[in-house]
Amino acid sequence: MNYTEVNFDGLVGPTHNYAGLSYGNVASKSNANKASNPKKAALQGLEKMFKLNQMGLHQGVLAPNARPDLATLRTLGFSGSDANVITQAAKTAPQFLKACYSASSMWTANAATVSPSSDSGDGKVHFTPANLNNKIHRAIEAKTTSRILKATFSDDAVFTHHEPLPQHPIFGDEGAANYTRLADSYGHSGLALFVYGEDINSQVKPQVFPARQTRQASEAIARSHLLDPAQTLYIQQNPEVIDQGVFHNDVIAIGNENVFLFHQQAFYQQKKVIAKIRQYYTGTRPLHLIEVTSDDLSVADAVNSYIFNSQLVSLPGGGMALIAPSECQTIDAVERYVAALCQASNPINEVIYMDLKQSMQNGGGPACLRLRVALSQHELNAVNPDCLIDEDLYDRLTTWVNKHYRDRLVEADLADPSLMLESQQALDELTQIMNLGSVYDFQRL
Ligand code: SUG
């Protein structure tokens, strides 16, 4: 059957800001309190979506969470009118107000883990929204993300939606950022690679920064998605690189079809990991395991450039392209390495640099901004058509962003309830453009 990969990018929400909320994410901490430009952030994201669509790839879009998250603020004891909730939180708990204002749902690689029908035991596409347990500003995403996924993939004859895992550190789950699959093509059953930062039964763990994904979470998802245990590997991330700012595996490794590109220090006991992948891979096309040595690129170069957070996409005419952040062009060693990679004998033959600086300054590169969903033609036909990018939707969303978004946000703006009203008005209109129904709390009261 004819299968294709659709990237569902997160639309950057109207409250995109730099709040320094992610301990362990170097960019988030170092840009804390910088003025942000939500309009530019959203337009940069849309530009990437449209570029991929123009290259002949299927491209989807996922709506953002509504912010501020008033329900969470009310749970924390702030009461009265919505405006009062905001002003009181700004006075007495600015940290929580910032968490409830974060536009972090834009990084849809963390929205969910998705298993294609070619991997699942019942032939359906399975979704488990990530609980994002490690960070409060992200843990509050799961409920609305769940509704948005259901409104985007609504046909229960082909799509199965699971509950997020229980909100407990044992089940810390960050979605597809720590998952990849290797296969001859999207329609072949694949080898699922789940990369975890910590196994609660082991002492091997990072010492400085938190491990966000646990082995126990990955195992639960593989069970729910009915994956074949003989085609599922659990791989531990090297705790030393988590301590150097590699907070998700997609900051140090990227896979697509029969290609896996990863840094020499990505995994714990890496030689054994590579041998296991070779042993379990069942495809008939040659498997390209491309290890980037520390001499080629240091871990610091990888973190600063986000080269491994490129998207690796299969091109309609054959071959693959890296969709890389333009920050890679500011580090000579990285630019040189990428140029050599495109010349070497492997399927990657092109690099396209994209300016995603607004997202990058919060630690979110091209790959963080998208959730990959491999679909058969029949399943693609069942996706909400108003969530698939074409020229018309791109134009409508660009006009919508230009109409509603501010071009500057600083912390003090969060205390002003007018930002909340503006955002709600914008998102209410968005749900009509994308035909999502009432997915937001403020539309349901
Ligand atoms: O969870 N940054 C996000 C970046 C997520 C990147 N995703 C992947 N690598 N897949 C995070 O750390 C920063 C928000 C702030 O500080 O304002 C933030 O949440």
Side-chain angles (χ1 to χ4, degrees):
M1 223 197 284
N2 198 15
Y3 275 68
T4 186
E5 178 182 84
V6 190
N7 284 291
F8 283 83
D9 279 46
L11 184 58
V12 178
T15 67
H16 158 66
N17 71 98
Y18 300 118
L21 299 172
S22 274
Y23 180 62
N25 168 342
V26 179
S28 155
K29 280 289 162 198
S30 55
N31 291 303
N33 300 323
K34 197 180 231 153
S36 68
N37 184 335
K39 185 180 281 184
K40 200 168 191 179
L43 294 177
Q44 286 174 343
L46 281 165
E47 192 83 0
K48 170 162 93 74
M49 298 183 220
F50 192 51
K51 173 79 185 168
L52 266 70
N53 170 256
Q54 293 297 291
M55 286 163 62
L57 303 175
H58 292 282
Q59 178 67 52
V61 54
L62 290 177
N65 273 217
R67 294 290 176 261
D69 182 343
L70 291 162
T72 295
L73 290 169
R74 287 187 186 280
T75 304
L76 300 181
F78 300 104
S79 58
S81 66
D82 290 347
N84 198 54
V85 166
I86 301 291
T87 46
Q88 289 308 308
K91 269 191 211 129
T92 62
Q95 259 326 93
F96 294 137
L97 183 67
K98 284 197 267 186
C100 290
Y101 249 119
S102 177
S104 53
S105 66
M106 69 170 89
W107 299 296
T108 53
N110 304 118
T113 306
V114 185
S115 296
S117 54
S118 42
D119 287 359
S120 65
D122 62 357
K124 288 168 89 175
V125 186
H126 288 248
F127 296 81
T128 299
N131 64 18
L132 296 163
N133 180 262
N134 194 258
K135 303 275 179 268
I136 179 60
H137 70 291
R138 303 224 58 185
I140 57 178
E141 291 171 32
K143 181 177 76 175
T144 303
T145 296
S146 219
R147 287 183 196 151
I148 290 169
L149 288 170
K150 286 177 184 160
T152 309
F153 306 94
S154 61
D155 184 348
D156 59 13
V158 287
F159 303 123
T160 295
H161 295 272
H162 301 273
E163 291 293 311
L165 296 178
Q167 280 291 8
H168 186 280
I170 289 178
F171 294 112
D173 173 27
E174 302 273 322
N178 298 300
Y179 158 84
T180 193
R181 64 188 293 276
L182 301 174
D184 273 354
S185 76
Y186 301 120
H188 283 86
S189 68
L191 180 60
L193 308 182
F194 286 93
V195 181
Y196 61 90
E198 185 177 354
D199 175 342
I200 52 140
N201 300 314
S202 158
Q203 288 311 308
V204 181
K205 53 176 128 184
Q207 301 301 307
V208 184
F209 292 145
R212 298 206 204 173
Q213 179 83 29
T214 67
R215 179 177 177 128
Q216 285 63 36
S218 301
E219 286 173 344
I221 289 169
R223 272 192 297 272
S224 306
H225 291 200
L226 307 173
L227 298 185
D228 175 0
Q231 281 297 289
T232 306
L233 294 182
Y234 302 97
I235 298 170
Q236 180 153 13
Q237 223 186 323
N238 178 357
E240 288 172 19
V241 299
I242 296 180
D243 283 342
Q244 292 169 66
V246 182
F247 58 97
H248 287 136
N249 180 59
D250 68 5
V251 178
I252 197 116
I254 167 84
N256 181 49
E257 292 189 311
N258 60 335
V259 176
F260 193 37
L261 177 74
F262 51 94
H263 192 273
Q264 185 180 7
Q265 295 181 56
F267 309 115
Y268 178 65
Q269 299 186 327
Q270 185 142 319
K271 283 197 170 57
K272 284 190 192 162
V273 169
I274 296 172
K276 240 181 165 178
I277 294 175
R278 282 205 189 285
Q279 182 193 344
Y280 282 83
Y281 184 72
T282 56
T284 53
R285 287 169 77 195
L287 176 63
H288 296 267
L289 297 181
I290 310 174
E291 188 175 49
V292 182
T293 68
S294 304
D295 285 343
D296 288 329
L297 290 183
S298 64
V299 172
D301 282 344
V303 172
N304 293 330
S305 67
Y306 255 46
I307 172 62
F308 290 96
N309 201 259
S310 300
Q311 286 176 248
L312 185 55
V313 296
S314 299
L315 299 170
M320 297 185 190
L322 268 187
I323 313 297
S326 51
E327 280 72 4
C328 293
Q329 295 174 291
T330 65
I331 302 177
D332 283 349
V334 176
E335 207 181 10
R336 264 199 317 273
Y337 179 80
V338 172
L341 180 70
C342 294
Q343 296 303 317
S345 65
N346 65 61
I348 309 170
N349 41 32
E350 196 183 337
V351 57
I352 295 165
Y353 289 108
M354 302 249 32
D355 178 5
L356 295 162
K357 195 165 186 223
Q358 284 290 320
S359 167
M360 283 286 286
Q361 291 182 149
N362 251 340
C368 301
L369 284 161
R370 62 91 175 95
L371 181 65
R372 312 160 90 175
V373 185
L375 297 169
S376 68
Q377 188 58 49
H378 174 65
E379 291 155 357
L380 180 58
N381 294 342
V383 174
N384 177 340
D386 296 308
C387 300
L388 293 171
I389 290 284
D390 56 13
E391 201 164 341
D392 177 55
L393 183 59
Y394 169 72
D395 285 345
R396 292 181 75 187
L397 292 176
T398 304
T399 306
W400 171 81
V401 168
N402 280 318
K403 173 176 162 196
H404 291 285
Y405 280 46
R406 298 191 189 185
D407 58 12
R408 184 183 153 86
L409 265 191
V410 292
E411 186 180 341
D413 296 320
L414 308 186
D416 176 0
S418 59
L419 178 64
M420 168 190 71
L421 297 173
E422 267 169 54
S423 303
Q424 291 181 344
Q425 200 187 352
L427 294 177
D428 196 40
E429 203 176 304
L430 181 71
T431 53
Q432 291 163 39
I433 296 174
M434 295 178 68
N435 194 18
L436 292 172
S438 300
V439 287
Y440 297 124
D441 284 347
F442 72 83
Q443 298 173 310
R444 295 178 159 220
L445 300 176

